[in-house]
Amino acid sequence: MIVPMYDHAALYRKQKAEFDAAIANLLESGNFDWGNELPAFEQEFADWLGVRYATGTSSGSAALRAALRALDIGPGDEVITVANTDLAGSSAIRMVGATVCWVDIEPVSRCIDPGLVEAAITPATRAILPVDIYGHPADMPALKQIARRHGLSVLQDSCLALGAEIDGKMVGSFADITCFSFSPGKHLGSFGSGGACSTDSPELADRVRMYSSDGQDRSHHYRVPRPLDLQHETDGENARLQEIQATVLRVKLGRLSEFLDIRRHQARLYRELLSDLPITLPEEKPGFRHAWRNYTIETDDRLDLSSHLLDRGIASNALYSPPMHLQKVHASLGYRRGALPVTELSCARILSLPIGPHLSAGQVEEVAEAVKNHYH
Ligand SMILES: *Cc1c(COP(=O)(O)O)cnc(C)c1O
Protein backbone atom coordinates (compact mmCIF):
# COMPACT_ATOMS: atom_id res chain seq x y z
CA MET A 1 0.00 0.00 0.00
CA ILE A 2 1.46 3.36 -1.03
CA VAL A 3 -0.94 5.35 1.13
CA PRO A 4 -2.11 3.21 4.08
CA MET A 5 -4.87 4.09 6.56
CA TYR A 6 -2.42 3.50 9.43
CA ASP A 7 1.30 3.01 9.84
CA HIS A 8 2.04 2.18 13.46
CA ALA A 9 5.71 1.45 12.76
CA ALA A 10 6.20 4.88 11.15
CA LEU A 11 4.77 6.54 14.28
CA TYR A 12 7.05 4.39 16.45
CA ARG A 13 10.09 5.55 14.46
CA LYS A 14 9.10 9.22 14.92
CA GLN A 15 9.83 8.91 18.68
CA LYS A 16 11.89 5.73 18.73
CA ALA A 17 14.62 6.88 21.11
CA GLU A 18 12.06 8.14 23.65
CA PHE A 19 9.96 4.95 23.49
CA ASP A 20 12.99 2.71 23.75
CA ALA A 21 14.35 4.55 26.77
CA ALA A 22 10.99 4.71 28.58
CA ILE A 23 10.19 1.04 27.94
CA ALA A 24 13.71 -0.07 28.94
CA ASN A 25 13.30 1.87 32.18
CA LEU A 26 10.02 0.14 32.92
CA LEU A 27 11.43 -3.29 32.10
CA GLU A 28 14.43 -2.66 34.38
CA SER A 29 12.14 -1.54 37.21
CA GLY A 30 10.09 -4.72 37.01
CA ASN A 31 6.97 -2.72 37.91
CA PHE A 32 4.66 -4.29 35.38
CA ASP A 33 1.57 -3.75 37.51
CA TRP A 34 0.69 -1.25 40.24
CA GLY A 35 3.66 0.94 39.35
CA ASN A 36 3.89 4.70 38.98
CA GLU A 37 3.36 4.97 35.21
CA LEU A 38 -0.43 4.59 35.30
CA PRO A 39 -1.08 7.22 38.00
CA ALA A 40 1.41 9.58 36.32
CA PHE A 41 -0.25 9.14 32.92
CA GLU A 42 -3.71 9.63 34.42
CA GLN A 43 -2.67 12.97 35.90
CA GLU A 44 -0.94 14.11 32.70
CA PHE A 45 -3.89 13.06 30.55
CA ALA A 46 -6.38 14.83 32.83
CA ASP A 47 -4.23 17.99 32.68
CA TRP A 48 -4.02 17.77 28.89
CA LEU A 49 -7.83 17.51 28.68
CA GLY A 50 -8.42 20.16 31.31
CA VAL A 51 -10.52 17.84 33.51
CA ARG A 52 -10.17 16.90 37.17
CA TYR A 53 -9.91 13.10 36.83
CA ALA A 54 -8.86 10.60 34.20
CA THR A 55 -8.77 6.85 34.77
CA GLY A 56 -6.86 4.53 32.46
CA THR A 57 -8.68 1.39 31.32
CA SER A 58 -7.69 -1.64 29.27
CA SER A 59 -9.63 -0.43 26.19
CA GLY A 60 -12.26 2.01 25.01
CA SER A 61 -14.78 -0.81 25.35
CA ALA A 62 -13.74 -1.36 28.98
CA ALA A 63 -14.03 2.41 29.57
CA LEU A 64 -17.64 2.34 28.34
CA ARG A 65 -18.49 -0.63 30.57
CA ALA A 66 -16.84 0.93 33.63
CA ALA A 67 -18.63 4.23 32.97
CA LEU A 68 -22.05 2.57 32.72
CA ARG A 69 -21.32 0.66 35.94
CA ALA A 70 -20.17 3.85 37.65
CA LEU A 71 -23.45 5.52 36.66
CA ASP A 72 -25.24 2.51 38.16
CA ILE A 73 -26.94 1.56 34.91
CA GLY A 74 -28.16 -2.02 34.71
CA PRO A 75 -31.17 -4.29 34.20
CA GLY A 76 -34.42 -2.44 33.56
CA ASP A 77 -32.64 0.73 32.40
CA GLU A 78 -32.66 2.14 28.89
CA VAL A 79 -29.80 4.04 27.24
CA ILE A 80 -30.37 6.22 24.18
CA THR A 81 -27.56 6.11 21.62
CA VAL A 82 -26.74 5.98 17.90
CA ALA A 83 -26.28 3.05 15.52
CA ASN A 84 -23.51 4.44 13.26
CA THR A 85 -20.67 3.43 15.53
CA ASP A 86 -18.47 0.68 16.91
CA LEU A 87 -20.11 -2.37 18.47
CA ALA A 88 -18.51 -1.34 21.79
CA GLY A 89 -21.29 1.11 22.74
CA SER A 90 -24.31 -1.13 22.32
CA SER A 91 -22.39 -4.15 23.65
CA ALA A 92 -21.42 -2.28 26.81
CA ILE A 93 -25.05 -1.27 27.35
CA ARG A 94 -26.22 -4.85 26.85
CA MET A 95 -23.41 -6.35 28.92
CA VAL A 96 -24.41 -4.33 31.99
CA GLY A 97 -27.93 -5.70 31.46
CA ALA A 98 -29.53 -2.49 30.15
CA THR A 99 -31.52 -1.96 26.95
CA VAL A 100 -30.19 -0.06 23.98
CA CYS A 101 -32.45 2.48 22.27
CA TRP A 102 -31.16 3.80 18.93
CA VAL A 103 -32.19 7.16 17.53
CA ASP A 104 -31.28 8.84 14.26
CA ILE A 105 -28.45 11.29 13.54
CA GLU A 106 -28.03 14.79 12.12
CA PRO A 107 -26.86 14.67 8.49
CA VAL A 108 -23.94 17.13 8.83
CA SER A 109 -22.20 16.08 12.05
CA ARG A 110 -23.52 12.51 11.74
CA CYS A 111 -23.88 12.59 15.54
CA ILE A 112 -27.07 11.97 17.52
CA ASP A 113 -29.90 14.35 16.58
CA PRO A 114 -30.85 16.12 19.83
CA GLY A 115 -34.26 16.92 18.32
CA LEU A 116 -35.11 13.20 18.34
CA VAL A 117 -33.86 12.34 21.81
CA GLU A 118 -36.78 13.65 23.83
CA ALA A 119 -39.33 11.57 21.90
CA ALA A 120 -37.28 8.43 22.67
CA ILE A 121 -37.29 9.00 26.44
CA THR A 122 -39.43 6.54 28.43
CA PRO A 123 -39.85 6.09 32.20
CA ALA A 124 -37.00 3.53 31.99
CA THR A 125 -34.50 5.86 30.29
CA ARG A 126 -31.47 6.50 32.47
CA ALA A 127 -28.80 7.88 30.16
CA ILE A 128 -27.88 9.34 26.77
CA LEU A 129 -24.75 8.00 25.08
CA PRO A 130 -23.74 10.28 22.19
CA VAL A 131 -20.82 9.29 19.97
CA ASP A 132 -18.45 11.91 18.50
CA ILE A 133 -18.30 10.05 15.23
CA TYR A 134 -15.16 10.43 13.09
CA GLY A 135 -14.01 13.17 15.48
CA HIS A 136 -16.93 15.61 15.20
CA PRO A 137 -18.30 16.28 18.69
CA ALA A 138 -21.97 15.59 19.38
CA ASP A 139 -24.10 18.60 20.36
CA MET A 140 -23.29 18.34 24.06
CA PRO A 141 -24.86 21.66 25.15
CA ALA A 142 -28.23 20.62 23.67
CA LEU A 143 -27.97 17.07 25.04
CA LYS A 144 -27.08 18.27 28.53
CA GLN A 145 -30.16 20.50 28.59
CA ILE A 146 -32.37 17.55 27.68
CA ALA A 147 -30.63 15.36 30.26
CA ARG A 148 -31.09 17.98 32.96
CA ARG A 149 -34.79 18.35 32.16
CA HIS A 150 -35.35 14.59 32.46
CA GLY A 151 -32.85 13.70 35.18
CA LEU A 152 -30.68 11.57 32.87
CA SER A 153 -26.94 10.88 32.92
CA VAL A 154 -24.81 11.67 29.89
CA LEU A 155 -21.98 9.39 28.87
CA GLN A 156 -19.98 10.61 25.87
CA ASP A 157 -18.12 8.25 23.57
CA SER A 158 -15.16 10.37 22.45
CA CYS A 159 -13.07 7.39 21.34
CA LEU A 160 -12.70 9.09 17.94
CA ALA A 161 -12.61 12.68 19.17
CA LEU A 162 -9.67 13.22 21.48
CA GLY A 163 -8.78 16.92 21.10
CA ALA A 164 -12.13 17.96 19.62
CA GLU A 165 -13.68 21.14 21.02
CA ILE A 166 -17.06 22.77 21.49
CA ASP A 167 -17.06 26.56 21.90
CA GLY A 168 -13.33 26.48 22.62
CA LYS A 169 -13.57 23.81 25.32
CA MET A 170 -12.06 20.36 24.85
CA VAL A 171 -14.31 17.29 24.97
CA GLY A 172 -13.75 15.42 28.23
CA SER A 173 -15.80 17.37 30.75
CA PHE A 174 -19.11 18.05 29.00
CA ALA A 175 -20.63 14.71 29.97
CA ASP A 176 -20.82 13.08 33.41
CA ILE A 177 -18.21 10.66 32.07
CA THR A 178 -16.35 10.77 28.73
CA CYS A 179 -14.73 7.66 27.25
CA PHE A 180 -11.58 7.51 25.12
CA SER A 181 -9.79 4.71 23.30
CA PHE A 182 -6.03 4.27 22.93
CA SER A 183 -6.30 1.50 20.40
CA PRO A 184 -3.28 1.79 18.03
CA GLY A 185 -5.17 3.60 15.27
CA LYS A 186 -6.75 6.28 17.46
CA HIS A 187 -5.33 9.78 18.06
CA LEU A 188 -3.28 8.61 21.01
CA GLY A 189 -2.45 5.04 20.08
CA SER A 190 -0.89 2.60 22.54
CA PHE A 191 1.18 -0.41 21.49
CA GLY A 192 -1.77 -2.73 21.96
CA SER A 193 -4.91 -1.65 23.73
CA GLY A 194 -6.01 1.03 26.15
CA GLY A 195 -8.68 3.54 27.04
CA ALA A 196 -9.73 6.08 29.64
CA CYS A 197 -12.69 7.69 31.37
CA SER A 198 -12.60 11.37 32.23
CA THR A 199 -14.86 13.19 34.67
CA ASP A 200 -14.98 16.19 36.97
CA SER A 201 -16.82 14.19 39.64
CA PRO A 202 -14.65 12.67 42.39
CA GLU A 203 -17.37 10.09 43.17
CA LEU A 204 -17.66 8.93 39.57
CA ALA A 205 -13.86 8.85 39.18
CA ASP A 206 -13.67 6.62 42.28
CA ARG A 207 -16.34 4.30 40.98
CA VAL A 208 -14.71 3.92 37.54
CA ARG A 209 -11.36 3.27 39.20
CA MET A 210 -12.84 0.71 41.57
CA TYR A 211 -14.81 -1.15 38.90
CA SER A 212 -11.83 -1.37 36.53
CA SER A 213 -9.54 -2.59 39.34
CA ASP A 214 -11.45 -5.73 40.36
CA GLY A 215 -13.60 -3.73 42.75
CA GLN A 216 -10.59 -2.85 44.90
CA ASP A 217 -9.52 0.45 46.35
CA ARG A 218 -6.38 1.07 44.29
CA SER A 219 -4.53 2.79 47.13
CA HIS A 220 -4.29 -0.61 48.83
CA HIS A 221 -1.60 -1.61 46.35
CA TYR A 222 0.49 1.49 46.97
CA ARG A 223 0.55 1.21 50.78
CA VAL A 224 3.95 0.36 52.31
CA PRO A 225 4.03 -2.24 53.67
CA ARG A 226 1.24 -3.63 51.53
CA PRO A 227 -1.59 -4.97 53.73
CA LEU A 228 -2.01 -8.75 53.71
CA ASP A 229 -5.75 -8.71 53.20
CA LEU A 230 -7.47 -7.96 49.89
CA GLN A 231 -10.84 -6.23 50.09
CA HIS A 232 -13.28 -6.10 47.17
CA GLU A 233 -15.78 -3.28 47.64
CA THR A 234 -17.80 -3.69 44.43
CA ASP A 235 -18.11 -5.95 41.43
CA GLY A 236 -15.38 -5.35 38.96
CA GLU A 237 -13.01 -6.65 36.35
CA ASN A 238 -9.31 -6.55 35.62
CA ALA A 239 -9.55 -3.61 33.24
CA ARG A 240 -6.77 -1.22 34.23
CA LEU A 241 -4.55 0.36 31.63
CA GLN A 242 -1.30 -1.65 31.67
CA GLU A 243 1.83 0.01 33.02
CA ILE A 244 3.66 -0.58 29.75
CA GLN A 245 0.89 1.13 27.76
CA ALA A 246 0.86 4.04 30.21
CA THR A 247 4.63 4.33 29.62
CA VAL A 248 4.11 4.48 25.86
CA LEU A 249 1.20 6.92 26.13
CA ARG A 250 3.18 9.33 28.34
CA VAL A 251 5.74 9.57 25.54
CA LYS A 252 3.03 10.01 22.91
CA LEU A 253 1.18 12.68 24.87
CA GLY A 254 4.15 14.97 24.26
CA ARG A 255 3.33 15.22 20.57
CA LEU A 256 -0.45 14.83 20.62
CA SER A 257 -1.17 18.53 19.97
CA GLU A 258 1.27 18.62 17.08
CA PHE A 259 -0.28 15.48 15.55
CA LEU A 260 -3.78 16.96 15.91
CA ASP A 261 -2.60 20.03 14.01
CA ILE A 262 -1.31 17.76 11.23
CA ARG A 263 -4.74 16.09 10.98
CA ARG A 264 -6.45 19.51 10.83
CA HIS A 265 -4.07 20.68 8.14
CA GLN A 266 -4.68 17.51 6.09
CA ALA A 267 -8.47 17.95 6.42
CA ARG A 268 -8.15 21.54 5.12
CA LEU A 269 -6.06 20.27 2.23
CA TYR A 270 -8.66 17.64 1.30
CA ARG A 271 -11.40 20.28 1.41
CA GLU A 272 -9.45 22.57 -0.93
CA LEU A 273 -8.54 19.82 -3.35
CA LEU A 274 -11.84 17.92 -3.43
CA SER A 275 -14.35 20.73 -3.97
CA ASP A 276 -16.64 20.57 -7.01
CA LEU A 277 -16.87 16.76 -7.12
CA PRO A 278 -20.06 14.67 -6.80
CA ILE A 279 -19.13 13.74 -3.23
CA THR A 280 -20.18 15.15 0.14
CA LEU A 281 -17.21 16.40 2.16
CA PRO A 282 -17.23 16.28 5.97
CA GLU A 283 -18.03 19.59 7.65
CA GLU A 284 -17.68 21.22 11.05
CA LYS A 285 -20.80 22.76 12.52
CA PRO A 286 -20.21 26.36 13.69
CA GLY A 287 -18.70 26.34 17.19
CA PHE A 288 -17.51 22.73 16.87
CA ARG A 289 -13.88 21.81 16.27
CA HIS A 290 -13.34 18.43 14.61
CA ALA A 291 -10.50 16.12 15.73
CA TRP A 292 -10.31 14.45 12.29
CA ARG A 293 -9.70 10.87 13.35
CA ASN A 294 -11.36 9.98 10.04
CA TYR A 295 -11.81 11.96 6.86
CA THR A 296 -15.14 10.45 5.88
CA ILE A 297 -16.72 11.55 2.65
CA GLU A 298 -20.09 10.36 1.33
CA THR A 299 -20.73 9.23 -2.23
CA ASP A 300 -23.18 7.05 -4.13
CA ASP A 301 -20.40 5.02 -5.77
CA ARG A 302 -18.11 4.24 -2.87
CA LEU A 303 -17.35 0.70 -4.05
CA ASP A 304 -16.10 1.94 -7.44
CA LEU A 305 -14.18 4.77 -5.83
CA SER A 306 -12.51 2.49 -3.29
CA SER A 307 -11.41 0.00 -5.97
CA HIS A 308 -10.14 2.87 -8.13
CA LEU A 309 -8.07 4.00 -5.13
CA LEU A 310 -6.91 0.48 -4.33
CA ASP A 311 -5.63 0.08 -7.92
CA ARG A 312 -3.37 3.05 -7.17
CA GLY A 313 -2.15 1.66 -3.85
CA ILE A 314 -4.42 3.90 -1.77
CA ALA A 315 -6.37 2.43 1.15
CA SER A 316 -9.88 3.46 2.22
CA ASN A 317 -12.54 1.98 4.50
CA ALA A 318 -16.22 2.24 5.36
CA LEU A 319 -16.28 2.24 9.14
CA TYR A 320 -18.92 2.00 10.42
CA SER A 321 -21.36 0.25 8.14
CA PRO A 322 -23.80 -1.38 8.22
CA PRO A 323 -25.23 0.41 11.26
CA MET A 324 -25.68 -1.46 14.54
CA HIS A 325 -29.48 -1.75 14.38
CA LEU A 326 -29.17 -3.78 11.16
CA GLN A 327 -26.40 -6.10 12.39
CA LYS A 328 -27.16 -9.80 12.80
CA VAL A 329 -26.25 -9.68 16.50
CA HIS A 330 -29.15 -7.28 17.09
CA ALA A 331 -31.75 -9.00 14.87
CA SER A 332 -33.87 -10.00 17.87
CA LEU A 333 -34.33 -6.35 18.87
CA GLY A 334 -36.77 -5.86 16.00
CA TYR A 335 -35.32 -2.78 14.27
CA ARG A 336 -36.16 -2.84 10.55
CA ARG A 337 -34.48 -1.19 7.58
CA GLY A 338 -35.98 2.28 7.38
CA ALA A 339 -36.12 2.73 11.17
CA LEU A 340 -33.21 5.24 11.12
CA PRO A 341 -33.27 6.75 7.62
CA VAL A 342 -30.51 9.37 8.04
CA THR A 343 -28.19 6.83 9.67
CA GLU A 344 -28.89 4.24 6.99
CA LEU A 345 -28.31 6.63 4.10
CA SER A 346 -25.06 7.91 5.62
CA CYS A 347 -23.77 4.41 6.39
CA ALA A 348 -24.48 3.30 2.81
CA ARG A 349 -22.49 6.23 1.37
CA ILE A 350 -19.50 6.67 3.72
CA LEU A 351 -15.92 6.17 2.63
CA SER A 352 -12.98 7.21 4.80
CA LEU A 353 -9.80 8.42 3.12
CA PRO A 354 -6.35 8.10 4.71
CA ILE A 355 -5.51 10.84 7.22
CA GLY A 356 -3.07 11.09 10.11
CA PRO A 357 0.47 11.97 11.19
CA HIS A 358 1.90 8.90 9.42
CA LEU A 359 1.17 10.66 6.10
CA SER A 360 2.92 13.56 4.38
CA ALA A 361 1.01 16.43 2.77
CA GLY A 362 2.26 15.02 -0.55
CA GLN A 363 0.49 11.71 0.14
CA VAL A 364 -2.75 13.53 0.94
CA GLU A 365 -2.42 15.39 -2.37
CA GLU A 366 -1.86 12.06 -4.11
CA VAL A 367 -5.11 10.67 -2.62
CA ALA A 368 -7.02 13.81 -3.62
CA GLU A 369 -5.61 13.58 -7.16
CA ALA A 370 -6.72 9.95 -7.44
CA VAL A 371 -10.24 10.81 -6.19
CA LYS A 372 -10.45 13.65 -8.70
CA ASN A 373 -9.40 11.58 -11.70
CA HIS A 374 -11.99 8.93 -10.74
CA TYR A 375 -14.72 11.52 -11.37
CA HIS A 376 -13.17 13.26 -14.39
C1 LIG B 1 -12.49 2.48 18.97
C2 LIG B 1 -13.85 2.80 19.45
C3 LIG B 1 -14.42 2.18 20.57
C4 LIG B 1 -13.79 1.02 21.28
O1 LIG B 1 -12.50 1.24 21.68
P1 LIG B 1 -11.50 -0.03 21.88
O2 LIG B 1 -10.31 0.60 22.52
O3 LIG B 1 -11.24 -0.57 20.53
O4 LIG B 1 -12.19 -0.99 22.77
C5 LIG B 1 -15.65 2.61 21.00
N1 LIG B 1 -16.33 3.58 20.37
C6 LIG B 1 -15.84 4.16 19.26
C7 LIG B 1 -16.63 5.24 18.60
C8 LIG B 1 -14.59 3.79 18.76
O5 LIG B 1 -14.13 4.35 17.67
Side-chain angles (χ1 to χ4, degrees):
M1 211 52 94
I2 299 164
V3 188
M5 295 303 278
Y6 310 107
D7 189 341
H8 305 321
L11 294 185
Y12 165 65
R13 286 191 295 269
K14 276 182 194 284
Q15 292 174 275
K16 177 173 162 50
E18 285 173 88
F19 288 131
D20 290 356
I23 291 171
N25 246 332
L26 178 78
L27 297 183
E28 290 295 339
S29 80
N31 293 328
F32 301 161
D33 204 3
W34 302 114
N36 297 321
E37 293 293 325
L38 177 55
F41 169 70
E42 289 175 335
Q43 189 58 54
E44 289 160 9
F45 186 61
D47 292 345
W48 192 91
L49 288 173
V51 302
R52 288 179 70 190
Y53 306 99
T55 300
T57 57
S58 53
S59 65
S61 310
L64 287 161
R65 279 199 304 279
L68 287 164
R69 291 280 192 188
L71 294 168
D72 213 12
I73 290 166
D77 299 334
E78 288 178 14
V79 180
I80 296 173
T81 189
V82 286
N84 59 329
T85 182
D86 196 278
L87 177 75
S90 46
S91 262
I93 294 168
R94 282 149 57 83
M95 285 165 81
V96 302
T99 301
V100 58
C101 170
W102 285 296
V103 302
D104 217 342
I105 56 169
E106 305 174 324
V108 172
S109 70
R110 296 171 284 196
C111 296
I112 195 164
D113 185 340
L116 300 175
V117 169
E118 223 144 11
I121 295 173
T122 74
T125 306
R126 288 284 316 283
I128 311 172
L129 198 179
V131 178
D132 302 336
I133 197 72
Y134 311 131
H136 192 302
D139 190 341
M140 295 309 295
L143 294 169
K144 281 172 71 172
Q145 266 187 18
I146 297 168
R148 209 171 300 126
R149 266 204 301 280
H150 296 270
L152 307 177
S153 301
V154 185
L155 166 55
Q156 187 176 5
D157 179 343
S158 297
C159 287
L160 296 174
L162 177 55
E165 294 173 16
I166 304 171
D167 297 329
K169 190 175 152 202
M170 195 103 71
V171 299
S173 55
F174 288 95
D176 296 298
I177 303 178
T178 306
C179 295
F180 297 96
S181 166
F182 306 132
S183 129
K186 304 286 166 85
H187 295 89
L188 189 67
S190 66
F191 291 174
S193 182
C197 290
S198 69
T199 181
D200 279 332
S201 154
E203 293 79 22
L204 290 176
D206 263 355
R207 294 178 64 123
V208 166
R209 216 153 267 191
M210 188 93 77
Y211 179 78
S212 56
S213 302
D214 298 307
Q216 301 167 46
D217 178 349
R218 276 195 194 175
S219 65
H220 173 97
H221 293 267
Y222 293 97
R223 253 171 249 145
V224 182
R226 190 169 167 282
L228 292 173
D229 59 335
L230 196 51
Q231 305 296 336
H232 299 277
E233 326 257 341
T234 66
D235 276 326
E237 56 179 308
N238 175 8
R240 288 181 308 289
L241 181 69
Q242 294 178 349
E243 284 291 303
I244 194 155
Q245 304 301 354
T247 305
V248 165
L249 293 172
R250 291 183 72 194
V251 172
K252 285 214 164 178
L253 203 51
R255 291 183 72 179
L256 178 56
S257 301
E258 177 196 335
F259 286 179
L260 273 163
D261 286 344
I262 292 176
R263 288 178 183 274
R264 288 183 170 126
H265 177 73
Q266 292 171 341
R268 273 198 301 277
L269 204 53
Y270 272 136
R271 173 154 279 278
E272 278 165 36
L273 299 171
L274 295 177
S275 54
D276 304 325
L277 295 177
I279 59 179
T280 310
L281 299 181
E283 279 180 48
E284 280 171 316
K285 292 200 309 183
F288 291 76
R289 194 155 185 241
H290 209 298
W292 300 110
R293 162 49 169 59
N294 305 70
Y295 194 84
T296 306
I297 64 168
E298 296 191 16
T299 170
D300 290 332
D301 73 336
R302 71 171 177 196
L303 210 55
D304 290 344
L305 176 57
S306 87
S307 40
H308 171 86
L309 295 175
L310 196 58
D311 288 345
R312 284 151 189 79
I314 298 168
S316 60
N317 69 31
L319 295 176
Y320 295 93
S321 65
M324 285 302 137
H325 69 297
L326 301 178
Q327 296 278 352
K328 187 172 165 194
V329 54
H330 298 132
S332 66
L333 300 182
Y335 284 78
R336 299 259 179 278
R337 197 168 289 280
L340 306 173
V342 184
T343 299
E344 290 167 32
L345 183 62
S346 171
C347 290
R349 298 180 75 232
I350 51 169
L351 191 72
S352 294
L353 304 178
I355 190 168
H358 64 292
L359 299 177
S360 65
Q363 284 173 298
V364 171
E365 284 165 15
E366 199 175 324
V367 177
E369 200 49 47
V371 173
K372 273 201 282 200
N373 69 37
H374 172 68
Y375 290 105
H376 286 144

